[in-house]
Amino acid sequence: MKKIITLFATMLLTFCLNAQISIIPKPNKITVGSENFELNGETLLYSNEKEQHNLNYLHQFLKGGFTFPIEVTSSKPIDNYIILEIDINSNIAKEGYSLMVNKRGVTIRASHEAGLFYGVQSLLQMLPATLYSGKRADNENWIIEGVEIEDSPRFGYRGMHLDVSRTFFDIATVKRFMEGMSFHKLNKFHWHLTDDNGWRVEIKKYPKLTTQGAWRGENEVLEPAFGSGNDRYGGFYTQDEIREVVAFAAKRNIEIIPEIDLPGQSKAVTATYPWVGCDSNDGSLSVQGVAGNVWCVANEENYK
């Protein structure tokens, strides 16, 4: 009976420790250790990455929440450290990582920068949630539970979709959306940029796509829709803004998949450049109840 009670107590303790380590999504393997690590003003950050994207990302994150300084070093420390290490010869999957915490520090290893980034996300989730606010926290406990984690994604495509044609969101909001994706280790951003209700991409050769086709309203080429009202509603992204978003996404291991609707769902195009549609009296409607929103497949100029 004593052995059974001891075994039960051990299992209960292990369950409780695992319950404290809440990581999203749940890692493939978590082994709870006995040695915790405490971050302090002497902790050093180190990475052997070539571009140091993940190191800079982590450093900026920690600086925003700590009341004490945290420094980067170019030499691999042997104590009181957070180490990000690329090992191209390891058998870790491309987006996989290992994370080890003991009393000396934290070590995250991966075979690619993508895996290292996800290891950083798991580390951040093990720290106080106030860190995500970007505000300095005076009274937080910066102790990280001792643990060994081995993880890699079950699915290669882990995505989210944002429709900015029907409801326009500015660049700052798009970035916040992708930041939230990165916290949860999502890697594909389906960016719905054009539809019947607005064209959101600057095309310098065809300026009316954005001067007219990006706007809805009572006196616009596109009618009010999706609760936008009679006032002028819409917007678009300049090419520089799109480059900015692409760079932002790349540093978070997110691939942007743009959706450009054609030949159908193209009212924003046909309303601004009517010659792309067919010259006919066809009054048929799309399933959304929109007329004249299809490129004419018989018009050779459309292919050019």
Side-chain angles (χ1 to χ4, degrees):
M1 177 62 72
K2 186 177 180 179
K3 288 183 178 180
I4 293 175
I5 293 173
T6 302
L7 178 61
F8 178 76
T10 302
M11 291 173 63
L12 182 62
L13 177 61
T14 302
F15 174 80
C16 291
L17 287 170
N18 274 283
Q20 292 174 10
I21 302 173
S22 179
I23 294 175
I24 301 172
K26 183 180 179 181
N28 297 335
K29 182 179 179 181
I30 299 180
T31 304
V32 177
S34 59
E35 298 178 346
N36 297 337
F37 173 65
E38 183 174 4
L39 287 161
N40 56 51
E42 302 299 319
T43 303
L44 294 173
L45 302 184
Y46 169 81
S47 177
N48 68 347
E49 295 176 278
K50 191 172 183 179
E51 300 296 333
Q52 307 254 307
H53 290 316
N54 290 306
L55 181 70
N56 293 334
Y57 176 91
L58 177 60
H59 190 211
Q60 292 300 315
F61 224 106
L62 296 180
K63 283 199 307 181
F66 289 174
T67 55
F68 48 81
I70 185 160
E71 301 296 335
V72 172
T73 178
S74 58
S75 301
K76 189 174 181 178
I78 59 174
D79 196 27
N80 200 355
Y81 54 72
I82 298 177
I83 292 174
L84 310 182
E85 197 164 62
I86 294 286
D87 181 1
I88 59 174
N89 296 316
S90 75
N91 59 359
I92 300 174
K94 181 177 180 180
E95 293 185 297
Y97 66 91
S98 69
L99 189 156
M100 178 182 290
V101 181
N102 55 36
K103 65 180 180 181
R104 293 170 58 191
V106 179
T107 302
I108 302 173
R109 287 193 176 92
S111 60
H112 294 78
E113 289 189 358
L116 214 54
F117 180 75
Y118 294 138
V120 166
Q121 294 302 332
S122 291
L123 172 62
L124 292 174
Q125 290 182 24
M126 295 170 69
L127 292 168
T130 53
L131 196 64
Y132 289 94
S133 71
K135 299 176 182 179
R136 294 186 180 275
D138 295 315
N139 302 314
E140 291 291 357
N141 181 357
W142 298 107
I143 294 177
I144 307 173
E145 294 95 339
V147 70
E148 290 185 32
I149 296 174
E150 295 178 13
D151 195 20
S152 61
R154 180 181 176 188
F155 300 105
Y157 189 114
R158 307 177 303 281
M160 290 288 284
H161 167 263
L162 185 66
D163 183 347
V164 298
S165 174
R166 293 175 174 89
T167 304
F168 181 71
F169 298 98
D170 61 20
I171 288 296
T173 304
V174 172
K175 285 183 175 181
R176 285 198 301 273
F177 185 87
M178 286 196 295
E179 194 74 274
M181 288 177 58
S182 70
F183 294 158
H184 296 86
K185 306 183 179 81
L186 302 179
N187 65 353
K188 307 291 183 185
F189 175 44
H190 178 162
W191 203 5
H192 192 159
L193 290 163
T194 78
D195 207 302
D196 290 329
N197 311 108
W199 183 281
R200 308 299 180 204
V201 188
E202 179 188 36
I203 307 295
K204 293 181 179 178
K205 188 175 181 180
Y206 300 102
K208 287 199 293 185
L209 287 174
T210 48
T211 59
Q212 295 182 24
W215 305 94
R216 305 197 298 261
E218 192 171 19
N219 299 311
E220 305 296 330
V221 295
L222 296 178
E223 297 178 353
F226 295 95
S228 60
N230 290 328
D231 293 335
R232 194 172 197 245
Y233 174 87
F236 65 94
Y237 309 114
T238 67
Q239 292 185 9
D240 285 341
E241 285 177 323
I242 290 177
R243 292 187 188 98
E244 181 183 335
V245 171
V246 170
F248 182 89
K251 290 180 180 179
R252 288 155 180 78
N253 196 48
I254 295 174
E255 178 184 8
I256 296 179
I257 302 170
E259 179 179 343
I260 309 292
D261 283 295
L262 58 94
Q265 294 183 305
S266 293
K267 187 69 173 183
V269 182
T270 59
T272 54
Y273 292 97
W275 53 264
V276 305
C278 287
D279 185 11
S280 71
N281 295 319
D282 180 17
S284 59
L285 303 177
S286 71
V287 292
Q288 290 86 13
V290 180
N293 66 339
V294 181
W295 291 56
C296 184
V297 296
N299 184 346
E300 292 294 332
E301 289 298 313
N302 284 343
Y303 297 96
K304 295 178 184 179

